[in-house]
Amino acid sequence: MDQVAIDKKVEHAENIVHTYGELLARLKHVNTALPISLLPASKDEIRQSIQTLIWELNDVTGESRNGALNGLVQAYVYLEQFLPDDKVEILARGQAAIQSADPEHEDWRYADEANDIVTQIKVAMENALEDMRIFMEPHNR
C-alpha cells in the first residue's frame, strides 16, 4: 500500500473514531447495553478504525502513547455494549422485572433472557480486551 493510501486509511479511521468518541462523551451515564443504532458506523468498521490507530501509535512513545492507547482500548472494549436495538429493549424490560422482585411483573418473562444478554456482554468485553493484548504486546516486552 502506498503512503497516500495509508494516509487516507488513517484519516478515515481518525474520523470514525472521533465521531464514536463524541458519542461516548455525550452519554450521560453508563448503561449495560446501548442500541447499536446510535453508532456512527458499523461495529466492524469502528473496530478496524481503532486497530488502525493503534498500529499508528507504534511510532509514538511515552505518556502520550500510553494515554492514547488506553483510550482506544477502552473504546474498543466498550463497543461490545452496543447491541441490536431489540436486545437492548429485552434487557431493559428484564432488568426492570428483576429489580421489582415481583414474579408477577408484566416483563418477568424477559428476566432469564436479560441475564443471558448481560453474560454475553461480559464475555464479549473480556474477548475484546484479549484482542487488544495482541496490539499492546510489542510494547510490553
Side-chain angles (χ1 to χ4, degrees):
M1 195 180 286
D2 67 2
Q3 191 58 45
V4 172
I6 292 170
D7 290 346
K8 284 186 178 194
K9 181 177 179 175
V10 170
E11 182 179 343
H12 181 69
E14 286 173 342
N15 289 335
I16 288 173
V17 172
H18 177 76
T19 305
Y20 172 54
E22 286 177 336
L23 167 67
L24 295 178
R26 282 194 314 266
L27 297 174
K28 300 246 187 287
H29 50 78
V30 177
N31 287 339
T32 304
L34 295 160
I36 201 167
S37 60
L38 293 175
L39 291 175
S42 73
K43 285 174 77 169
D44 283 339
E45 193 171 8
I46 294 170
R47 277 188 201 102
Q48 291 172 356
S49 295
I50 290 171
Q51 291 170 354
T52 296
L53 296 182
I54 288 173
W55 280 115
E56 283 298 304
L57 289 174
N58 282 334
D59 297 333
V60 180
T61 59
E63 289 301 312
S64 61
R65 179 190 189 280
N66 293 339
L69 181 61
N70 288 339
L72 289 168
V73 168
Q74 286 177 352
Y76 188 90
V77 172
Y78 194 70
L79 188 57
E80 296 307 322
Q81 291 183 280
F82 287 87
L83 302 177
D85 296 22
D86 60 329
K87 279 193 168 191
V88 174
E89 173 74 18
I90 290 167
L91 179 60
R93 293 175 80 167
Q95 286 181 325
I98 292 166
Q99 289 172 355
S100 77
D102 176 9
E104 300 301 318
H105 190 282
E106 66 180 340
D107 290 329
W108 195 259
R109 66 184 179 272
Y110 298 111
D112 286 340
E113 192 171 355
N115 284 330
D116 290 344
I117 292 169
V118 169
T119 300
Q120 291 166 7
I121 291 169
K122 288 178 180 178
V123 169
M125 291 177 79
E126 289 171 10
N127 290 340
L129 186 57
E130 190 61 33
D131 289 348
M132 287 290 94
R133 290 193 205 296
I134 295 168
F135 291 100
M136 297 183 292
E137 206 52 44
H139 291 279
N140 290 336
R141 291 185 181 146

